[in-house]
Amino acid sequence: MRSIKGQTILVAGGAGFLGSHLCDALIADGARVICLDNFVTGRKQNLRKLEREPRFELVVFDVIDPIPPQLKRAGLRAIYNLACAASPPHYQSDPEHTMLSSVMGTRNLLLLAENTGARFQLASTSEVYGDPLVHPQRESYWGNVNPTGPRACYDEGKRAAEALTFDFARAGRANICVARIFNTYGPRMRADDGRVVSNVITQALAGDDITIYGDGRQTRSFCYVSDLIDGLSRLMRYEGKLPGPVNLGNPAELTVADFVNRVLALTQSPSRVANRPLPVDDPTRRRPDISLASELLNWTPRVSLEAGLKMTIRWFAEEAGKQRQRLPEPGLEVGSPPI
Ligand code: UDP
């Protein structure tokens, strides 16, 4: 793979969970990184490592808006588009913004790619397969998406973004690649993210009830963040002809109930399980077929669920410790004068 040393690379959504890990990796590989984020779900603390890095620049910006003209003159070689809320509670809290982030954001960044000649990567999602009727999911599967349900703002937004990206490619307007990202976890997930990994770890560490939606027999396949970032980076650097979108995820599938048991065992938590209603249109099964990524990109996930969970649990425990230190001492009101 070619080196990216000295290249200028744009990461839209660079303060988010995946985006910030990508920025770290690109800086470590010698690139100059311009990060765009509107901080709706991204966080400044995710970029703490890069604060004093001269090759890193943060621009507070919403990709729904027309791209600032100075970015056209920044000498961009690559544009990663990860700008979109991605957890169901977050993306459903402002569905209009979610849809527009995907569609308008992708269009604006594709226009920038057309204008600059930079290669464009869309961070798409396994949600384009909806509640899949084919298992595991290959890229050739067209999906089973409810176009009017509460997940549609995200699923259909990403499907439209994919369509637009391939239209730009067909018309010879941009050099593109599309990653379909399956469930990913690791440090820097938000504790209030609402996803199963962050919820269950936070609940287990606090000794609170573990919320399992439905009977817990639905499945997911969880990929550790460093593996996913490696996949995105390989896909961006791939120089051959791609047949279409490429799945990136870890094919190790397990039920939500099994996942909860793993976390309970690793945290030795006394938490009990509390079942809650299954959200509307919650996919029943999900597992990526990653033959294409392994064949074209020589990529395969390396971090086991056990190892990845240990790192993630340690991170959440440290974050919870920091939170406690920031809380006022018992008996002291916030803002009260020092005694
Ligand atoms: N889930 C759960 N408890 C939670 C959060 C989620 O049982 O506290 C379930 C959810 O219904 C889904 C699975 O875990 O079946 C994965 O949900 P997540 O929101 O993490 O991701 P996605 O549904 O987008 O794959």
Side-chain angles (χ1 to χ4, degrees):
M1 273 194 307
R2 272 221 197 122
S3 162
I4 57 165
K5 199 163 188 278
Q7 291 187 3
T8 303
I9 297 178
L10 186 79
V11 181
F17 162 51
L18 292 182
S20 63
H21 283 284
L22 177 62
C23 289
D24 285 348
L26 296 171
I27 290 287
D29 284 348
R32 186 174 160 250
V33 173
I34 303 176
C35 161
L36 303 185
D37 210 291
N38 62 2
F39 291 99
V40 169
T41 55
R43 293 188 294 186
K44 285 245 161 74
Q45 67 208 59
N46 289 343
L47 303 172
R48 213 177 280 141
K49 258 170 78 176
L50 301 172
E51 259 167 11
R52 272 181 273 282
E53 169 56 59
R55 285 181 287 115
F56 179 77
E57 187 185 343
L58 169 66
V59 182
V60 181
F61 180 75
D62 193 319
V63 291
I64 286 179
D65 300 322
I67 300 292
Q70 65 269 28
L71 282 178
K72 295 180 187 158
R73 300 186 291 271
L76 296 176
R77 291 287 296 276
I79 299 169
Y80 287 90
N81 181 15
L82 295 103
C84 191
S87 84
H90 284 154
Y91 72 64
Q92 288 171 21
S93 72
D94 188 349
E96 183 182 352
H97 191 262
T98 299
M99 172 68 82
L100 292 179
S101 299
S102 276
V103 181
M104 293 297 295
T106 296
R107 177 173 184 262
N108 287 334
L109 293 166
L110 278 166
L111 289 172
L112 183 64
E114 179 179 27
N115 201 281
T116 57
R119 179 163 160 88
F120 173 85
Q121 181 178 99
L122 173 66
S124 186
T125 167
S126 56
E127 286 280 326
V128 300
Y129 301 121
D131 190 2
L133 304 175
V134 169
H135 194 79
Q137 292 78 55
R138 296 188 83 111
E139 291 85 349
S140 53
Y141 176 49
W142 290 354
N144 176 40
V145 172
N146 175 355
T148 57
R151 295 175 92 102
C153 58
Y154 187 69
D155 302 7
E156 296 290 15
K158 289 288 188 182
R159 286 168 69 98
E162 284 198 14
L164 200 55
T165 303
F166 282 97
D167 282 331
F168 267 68
R170 259 188 298 275
R173 296 173 65 184
N175 175 4
I176 64 105
C177 52
V178 173
R180 287 187 177 154
I181 301 173
F182 284 65
N183 296 67
T184 305
Y185 70 101
R188 298 189 193 155
M189 291 186 94
R190 293 175 64 126
D192 65 354
D193 187 293
R195 279 190 263 210
V196 72
V197 175
S198 43
N199 275 5
V200 171
I201 293 178
T202 310
Q203 291 158 346
L205 289 173
D208 293 341
D209 282 355
I210 306 277
T211 52
I212 290 190
Y213 301 161
D215 59 13
R217 281 190 295 177
Q218 69 271 38
T219 69
R220 293 292 186 274
S221 311
F222 298 100
C223 185
Y224 190 66
V225 63
S226 57
D227 282 332
L228 199 280
I229 298 301
D230 178 41
L232 293 179
S233 153
R234 282 169 188 257
L235 179 61
M236 183 62 106
R237 297 182 209 193
Y238 182 70
E239 289 176 346
K241 191 169 159 41
L242 288 164
V246 178
N247 284 343
L248 293 176
N250 190 322
E253 179 186 6
L254 78 173
T255 65
V256 164
D258 281 346
F259 174 78
V260 166
N261 287 332
R262 301 270 185 109
V263 174
L264 286 176
L266 287 171
T267 51
Q268 300 188 323
S269 169
S271 290
R272 298 151 74 104
V273 166
N275 291 86
R276 298 273 183 271
L278 192 66
V280 176
D281 295 335
D282 198 272
T284 318
R285 301 180 76 187
R286 184 183 288 156
R287 176 186 176 185
D289 180 323
I290 56 164
S291 338
L292 192 60
S294 63
E295 187 189 316
L296 296 181
L297 312 177
N298 193 22
W299 176 82
T300 182
R302 296 181 189 288
V303 181
S304 68
L305 184 62
E306 165 118 359
L309 273 181
K310 281 184 182 163
M311 292 187 271
T312 310
I313 289 167
R314 195 177 315 130
W315 183 83
F316 271 101
E318 282 166 13
E319 285 299 296
K322 285 184 207 157
Q323 287 294 335
R324 274 196 298 276
Q325 279 167 14
R326 281 197 283 268
L327 287 177
E329 285 173 38
L332 275 181
E333 297 279 318
V334 177
S336 61
I339 298 168

Coordinates of all heavy atoms in Angstrom, one line a residue, residues 2-3 27 32 48-49 73 114 116 118 127 136 138 153 158 260 265 270 275 292 295 301:
R2 N 0.4 2.3 -0.8 CA 1.2 3.5 -0.8 C 1.1 4.3 0.5 O 0.2 4.3 1.2 CB 0.5 4.4 -1.9 CG 1.1 4.1 -3.2 CD 1.3 5.4 -4.0 NE 1.5 5.0 -5.3 CZ 0.8 5.5 -6.3 NH1 -0.2 6.4 -6.1 NH2 0.9 5.1 -7.5
S3 N 2.2 5.0 0.8 CA 2.3 5.8 2.0 C 1.4 7.0 1.8 O 1.3 7.6 0.7 CB 3.8 6.2 2.2 OG 3.8 7.3 3.1
I27 N -2.8 10.7 11.3 CA -1.7 11.5 11.9 C -0.5 10.6 12.1 O 0.7 10.9 11.8 CB -2.1 12.3 13.1 CG1 -3.1 13.4 12.8 CG2 -0.9 12.8 13.9 CD1 -2.5 14.6 12.1
R32 N -1.4 15.0 7.0 CA -1.9 16.3 7.5 C -3.4 16.1 7.5 O -4.0 15.7 6.5 CB -1.5 17.4 6.7 CG -1.9 18.8 7.2 CD -1.3 19.9 6.4 NE -2.1 21.1 6.8 CZ -3.0 21.7 6.0 NH1 -3.1 21.3 4.7 NH2 -3.7 22.7 6.5
R48 N -8.4 15.1 22.1 CA -7.4 15.6 23.1 C -6.0 15.3 22.7 O -5.1 16.2 22.7 CB -7.7 15.0 24.4 CG -7.4 16.0 25.6 CD -7.8 15.4 26.9 NE -9.2 15.5 27.2 CZ -9.9 14.5 27.7 NH1 -9.4 13.3 28.1 NH2 -11.2 14.6 28.0
K49 N -5.8 14.1 22.1 CA -4.4 13.7 21.8 C -3.8 14.6 20.6 O -2.6 14.6 20.4 CB -4.5 12.2 21.2 CG -4.0 11.2 22.2 CD -4.3 9.8 21.7 CE -3.4 9.3 20.7 NZ -3.7 7.9 20.3
R73 N -8.9 24.7 -1.9 CA -7.5 25.1 -2.2 C -6.5 24.4 -1.2 O -5.4 24.9 -1.0 CB -7.3 26.6 -2.1 CG -8.2 27.3 -3.1 CD -7.9 28.8 -3.1 NE -8.4 29.5 -1.9 CZ -9.6 30.0 -1.7 NH1 -10.5 29.9 -2.7 NH2 -9.9 30.6 -0.6
E114 N -15.0 16.2 -6.5 CA -15.0 16.5 -8.0 C -14.0 17.7 -8.3 O -13.2 17.7 -9.2 CB -16.4 16.8 -8.4 CG -16.5 17.1 -9.9 CD -17.9 17.4 -10.3 OE1 -18.7 17.9 -9.5 OE2 -18.3 17.2 -11.5
T116 N -11.6 18.9 -6.4 CA -10.1 18.8 -6.0 C -9.4 17.6 -6.6 O -8.2 17.5 -6.5 CB -10.0 18.7 -4.5 OG1 -10.8 17.6 -4.1 CG2 -10.6 20.0 -3.8
A118 N -9.7 14.8 -5.1 CA -9.4 13.9 -4.0 C -10.3 12.7 -4.1 O -11.4 12.7 -4.6 CB -9.7 14.7 -2.7
E127 N -26.9 -1.0 8.0 CA -28.3 -0.7 8.0 C -28.9 -0.6 6.6 O -30.1 -0.6 6.5 CB -28.5 0.7 8.7 CG -28.3 0.6 10.2 CD -29.6 0.0 11.0 OE1 -30.7 0.3 10.6 OE2 -29.3 -0.6 12.0
P136 N -25.3 -14.8 5.9 CA -24.8 -13.5 6.3 C -25.0 -12.5 5.1 O -25.4 -12.9 4.0 CB -23.3 -13.7 6.6 CG -23.0 -14.9 5.8 CD -24.2 -15.8 5.8
R138 N -24.1 -10.3 2.1 CA -23.1 -10.0 1.1 C -23.4 -8.6 0.5 O -24.6 -8.2 0.5 CB -23.2 -11.0 -0.1 CG -22.8 -12.4 0.3 CD -22.8 -13.1 -1.0 NE -21.4 -12.9 -1.6 CZ -20.5 -13.9 -1.7 NH1 -20.9 -15.1 -1.3 NH2 -19.3 -13.7 -2.1
C153 N -34.8 7.3 8.4 CA -33.9 8.6 8.3 C -32.5 8.2 8.1 O -31.7 8.8 7.3 CB -34.1 9.5 9.4 SG -33.7 8.8 11.0
K158 N -28.6 6.8 4.2 CA -27.3 6.2 3.7 C -27.5 5.5 2.4 O -26.6 5.5 1.5 CB -26.8 5.2 4.8 CG -26.3 5.8 6.0 CD -25.0 6.5 5.9 CE -24.4 6.9 7.2 NZ -23.1 7.7 7.1
V260 N -24.4 -9.9 26.5 CA -24.5 -9.4 27.9 C -23.8 -10.4 28.9 O -23.1 -9.9 29.8 CB -26.1 -9.3 28.2 CG1 -26.3 -9.2 29.7 CG2 -26.7 -8.2 27.5
A265 N -19.5 -11.4 32.8 CA -18.4 -12.3 33.3 C -17.2 -11.4 33.4 O -16.4 -11.5 34.4 CB -18.2 -13.4 32.3
P270 N -22.7 -7.6 39.6 CA -23.9 -8.2 40.2 C -25.1 -7.8 39.5 O -26.2 -8.2 39.9 CB -23.8 -7.7 41.6 CG -23.2 -6.3 41.5 CD -22.2 -6.4 40.3
N275 N -35.7 -7.1 31.0 CA -36.1 -7.0 29.6 C -37.0 -5.8 29.3 O -37.8 -5.5 30.1 CB -36.8 -8.3 29.2 CG -35.8 -9.5 29.1 OD1 -35.6 -10.1 30.2 ND2 -35.2 -9.8 28.0
L292 N -15.2 -10.2 0.3 CA -14.7 -9.1 -0.7 C -13.5 -8.4 -0.1 O -12.5 -8.2 -0.7 CB -15.8 -8.2 -1.1 CG -15.6 -7.3 -2.2 CD1 -15.3 -8.0 -3.5 CD2 -16.8 -6.4 -2.5
E295 N -10.4 -10.5 0.2 CA -9.8 -10.7 -1.1 C -9.1 -9.5 -1.7 O -8.0 -9.5 -2.1 CB -10.9 -11.2 -2.0 CG -10.5 -11.7 -3.4 CD -11.7 -11.9 -4.3 OE1 -12.7 -12.5 -3.8 OE2 -11.7 -11.5 -5.4
P301 N -10.5 -8.9 10.5 CA -10.3 -8.4 11.9 C -9.4 -9.3 12.7 O -9.4 -10.5 12.5 CB -11.8 -8.4 12.4 CG -12.6 -8.6 11.2 CD -11.8 -9.2 10.2

